[in-house]
Amino acid sequence: SSQASSSSDGFLKCLSASIPSQLVFTQSSPSFTPLLKSSIRNPKFFTPSTVRPLYIVTPTNASHVQAAVVCGRRSGMRIRVRSGGHDYEGLSYRAVRPEPFAVLDLSNLRAVRVDPQAATAWVDSGATLGELYYAVGKASGVLGFPAGLCPTVGVGGHFSGGGFGMLLRKYGLAVDHVVDAVLVDARGRLLNKNTMGSDVFWAIRGGSGESFGVVLSWQVRLVPVPPKVTVFNLPVTASQGAVDVVARWQQVAPALPDDLMIRVVVQQKTANFQSLFLGTCDALLPLMSSRFPELKFNRTYCKEMTWIQSVPYIYLGSGSTVEDLLNRTTAASVFSSGYKATSDYVRKAIPRDVWTNIFTQLAQPNAGLMILDPYGGQIAAVPEAATPYPHRAGVLYNIQYMNFWPMATADGSVQTKWIRDFYAFMAPYVSSNPREAYFNYRDLDLGENVVVGNVSSYQAGMVWGQKYFKGNYQRLAMAKGEIDPDDYFRNEQSIPPLAKSK
Ligand code: FDA
């Protein structure tokens, strides 16, 4: 429309005063498509019908981000922020419905500065988890950081939704260790923990950063890890009794000592038990035989290594190296698979006969997989309202459901239907009122914003907001009302603003 094109002209003209032109890409620029594609992780959002940005801006310092926000506001151009591009629904670089927007791609803002004496680090949002882990591992052999498994996940999005991985039982979420942050708000102001105010600082640590502005960097507390850890991976097939072992795991894993994390990936007829133990094999053996004899663990499964070596080993496989943590590019083989995912939290162990049924369903053609992450320990010790992430005490484990398909030969409708049907089947066995879900495993099936009078509706947002944030949704909406009452920063699942007086 002519309105859209005039706001585009205004946006570009405004940017040209503050941002070098080589950092601004229009759709006609030859670099636009490769840049757009560079960190897309779910290629189902890279098709001819995908609603793409009109511009991509690649800031190299904070003033560029401030200018992009100020210009965007002034010219009516909305901004979507992209750090690592791993959003399950692609909301960092695509819109569900046609709308003019620009992507602010933070991949140039990715410094990691570690202070091993203070056991802290400043990490820019455009860094990947792999870059953060690598820098921590270089600086110290006895410090680590508790965040996700996949090294190409971006710090910006990951911290914005909580962030958990193999250290979750020992140390909780990534955001449980964030002590300061730098934020550009909708007025283009550069704010820190003190100047953004305690409600906003609370909100950005897991309550969807993109609702509140652009988080440029985060200061984190690092955590102690022993010089040697033990990793194991133990597959159990259905014919070896996987149903019984998984049913038992539900009781055992959340109650183990915090040093021991045993997650399960259930795919087809096999349950893969993947573990990180903060100690030696000698210390692990008696623990396994007393607490979880059903797994039939023995010394041959033990792999001892440093914590930093365990990170690529667990996610990328035994042939990988610590240097592989620095590889930001998505492998072509990964990019060729579209996927659909969603999540649940389990507060009461699922009966054994239901697990028999689950295994049968997972063995069907076009079925997906389940990842079970045990809770308990430190993640459960933090009060529900301490951060926006509310899935704490009483959760036995988190479930992630995923289903993949080859983009070249399938459109994903069968696999997506499988996920939806399976999610419906699981309803009686998982948390309810609300049925809890993990914001970082974003699923638009849970609900989308409704815009009323150019502002996202608080009421409509409750449908998905309470699943992700439970009772914290209202406080998030009030923080949004404080920092961005006009709802400039919005997407299909951003926090709607709520005025304090309501
Ligand atoms: P992306 O750049 O797509 O951003 C995600 C959302 O955050 C978007 O809405 C975006 O606008 C917003 N955002 C990004 N940067 C921002 C910033 N600087 N300021 C404000 N808003 C910002 N999770 C987990 O907890 N544990 C795990 O082990 C894994 N493993 C995993 C593996 C794989 C292969 C994928 C694809 C994803 C995961 N995740 C995960 C989920 C992951 O934590 C989630 O997708 C994150 O939001 C991704 O962050 P990115 O910066 O990469 O995404």
Side-chain angles (χ1 to χ4, degrees):
S1 74
S2 65
Q3 202 188 343
S5 72
S6 76
S7 74
S8 302
D9 293 348
F11 183 62
L12 276 189
K13 196 176 285 174
C14 178
L15 284 186
S16 68
S18 324
I19 302 185
S21 61
Q22 70 269 21
L23 303 180
V24 180
F25 301 83
T26 65
Q27 285 186 340
S28 58
S29 147
S31 317
F32 182 90
T33 300
L35 179 59
L36 177 62
K37 195 179 158 190
S38 62
S39 68
I40 290 182
R41 183 64 185 226
N42 195 344
K44 77 177 181 188
F45 303 122
F46 186 74
T47 69
S49 60
T50 303
V51 179
R52 296 180 185 205
L54 293 176
Y55 308 102
I56 305 175
V57 183
T58 58
T60 56
N61 65 45
S63 80
H64 298 156
V65 175
Q66 294 175 277
V69 171
V70 169
C71 291
R73 272 246 40 199
R74 194 174 293 163
S75 54
M77 180 70 59
R78 284 185 197 279
I79 281 175
R80 288 178 187 244
V81 191
R82 183 166 78 169
S83 290
H86 281 46
D87 193 272
Y88 282 9
E89 296 282 6
L91 300 188
S92 55
Y93 55 84
R94 68 113 191 180
V96 171
R97 279 164 287 277
E99 68 173 59
F101 67 97
V103 164
L104 205 52
D105 184 306
L106 301 186
S107 52
N108 288 329
L109 295 173
R110 58 193 234 221
V112 185
R113 285 154 295 157
V114 178
D115 181 343
Q117 268 71 49
T120 59
W122 273 101
V123 54
D124 289 343
S125 282
T128 61
L129 295 182
E131 289 168 340
L132 172 58
Y133 296 144
Y134 185 88
V136 172
K138 270 266 129 75
S140 166
V142 290
L143 290 173
F145 189 72
L149 283 88
C150 169
T152 50
V153 163
V155 162
H158 189 65
F159 287 17
S160 295
F164 61 75
M166 296 306 282
L167 292 175
L168 74 88
R169 304 195 66 256
K170 180 73 176 180
Y171 294 118
L173 299 177
V175 291
D176 294 338
H177 301 269
V178 170
V179 292
D180 201 348
V182 176
L183 172 79
V184 173
D185 75 357
R187 287 156 63 185
R189 296 180 300 179
L190 195 61
L191 305 170
N192 65 17
K193 171 185 176 167
N194 297 323
T195 51
M196 78 180 76
S198 56
D199 286 341
V200 175
F201 183 60
W202 173 84
I204 59 173
R205 286 175 293 163
S208 84
E210 69 266 26
S211 307
F212 305 96
V214 184
V215 186
L216 290 182
S217 52
W218 314 74
Q219 188 184 29
V220 295
R221 237 181 311 108
L222 304 175
V223 299
V225 290
K228 203 182 270 179
V229 304
T230 304
V231 173
F232 72 78
N233 188 20
L234 200 169
V236 182
T237 64
S239 57
Q240 292 167 328
V243 166
D244 289 313
V245 186
V246 171
R248 178 81 187 124
W249 169 91
Q250 299 177 100
Q251 323 268 357
V252 171
L256 287 169
D258 301 0
D259 285 339
L260 179 54
M261 162 88 180
I262 307 177
R263 76 202 292 251
V264 195
V265 179
V266 189
Q267 188 167 21
Q268 294 176 336
K269 294 186 167 84
T270 303
N272 252 296
F273 292 81
Q274 303 178 340
S275 176
L276 173 68
F277 175 60
L278 299 174
T280 61
C281 182
D282 283 341
L284 178 58
L285 284 165
L287 196 54
M288 291 300 290
S289 59
S290 67
R291 303 293 287 268
F292 201 7
E294 296 84 354
L295 196 54
K296 301 193 173 77
F297 183 77
N298 66 53
R299 184 178 291 279
T300 61
Y301 292 106
C302 280
K303 291 266 184 294
E304 288 184 341
M305 59 188 74
T306 63
W307 172 77
I308 190 63
Q309 287 169 333
S310 79
V311 176
Y313 185 93
I314 290 170
Y315 195 79
L316 302 170
S318 56
S320 61
T321 68
V322 173
E323 269 63 38
D324 293 335
L325 296 175
L326 298 177
N327 187 355
R328 291 176 70 102
T329 38
T330 306
S333 58
V334 172
F335 189 76
S336 62
S337 299
Y339 66 87
K340 170 77 188 172
T342 195
S343 63
D344 262 320
Y345 288 86
V346 175
R347 290 177 176 272
K348 217 174 120 230
I350 298 174
R352 188 195 175 280
D353 62 309
V354 178
W355 277 109
T356 304
N357 190 337
I358 292 172
F359 269 79
T360 304
Q361 297 195 45
L362 291 175
Q364 300 305 306
N366 297 309
L369 59 85
M370 289 168 86
I371 301 172
L372 317 177
D373 277 310
Y375 271 41
Q378 187 55 33
I379 200 164
V382 176
E384 261 183 40
T387 74
Y389 184 94
H391 322 288
R392 302 278 195 170
V395 172
L396 292 178
Y397 54 98
N398 169 266
I399 304 179
Q400 176 168 208
Y401 312 91
M402 291 194 114
N403 204 353
F404 297 87
W405 59 88
M407 288 294 288
T409 54
D411 66 0
S413 52
V414 178
Q415 293 79 1
T416 301
K417 181 176 187 306
W418 185 90
I419 288 274
R420 288 175 178 154
D421 291 348
F422 194 61
Y423 186 72
F425 162 79
M426 289 297 289
Y429 314 113
V430 298
S431 65
S432 56
N433 299 313
R435 185 171 180 177
E436 297 168 61
Y438 179 28
F439 180 72
N440 267 345
Y441 299 156
R442 193 199 301 276
D443 179 6
L444 290 180
D445 289 355
L446 302 181
E448 286 182 35
N449 278 334
V450 176
V451 175
V452 180
N454 208 24
V455 172
S456 307
S457 154
Y458 173 77
Q459 211 59 34
M462 274 165 81
V463 173
W464 58 265
Q466 292 189 339
K467 295 186 168 97
Y468 291 140
F469 304 115
K470 296 179 72 179
N472 293 327
Y473 172 69
Q474 183 175 20
R475 182 169 171 202
L476 285 169
M478 280 171 13
K480 169 77 171 177
E482 240 175 73
I483 193 95
D484 184 21
D486 301 334
D487 203 23
Y488 173 65
F489 285 109
R490 77 171 175 231
N491 65 31
E492 292 75 2
Q493 277 185 349
S494 58
I495 301 292
L498 186 63
K500 262 229 161 93
S501 57
K502 273 188 198 158

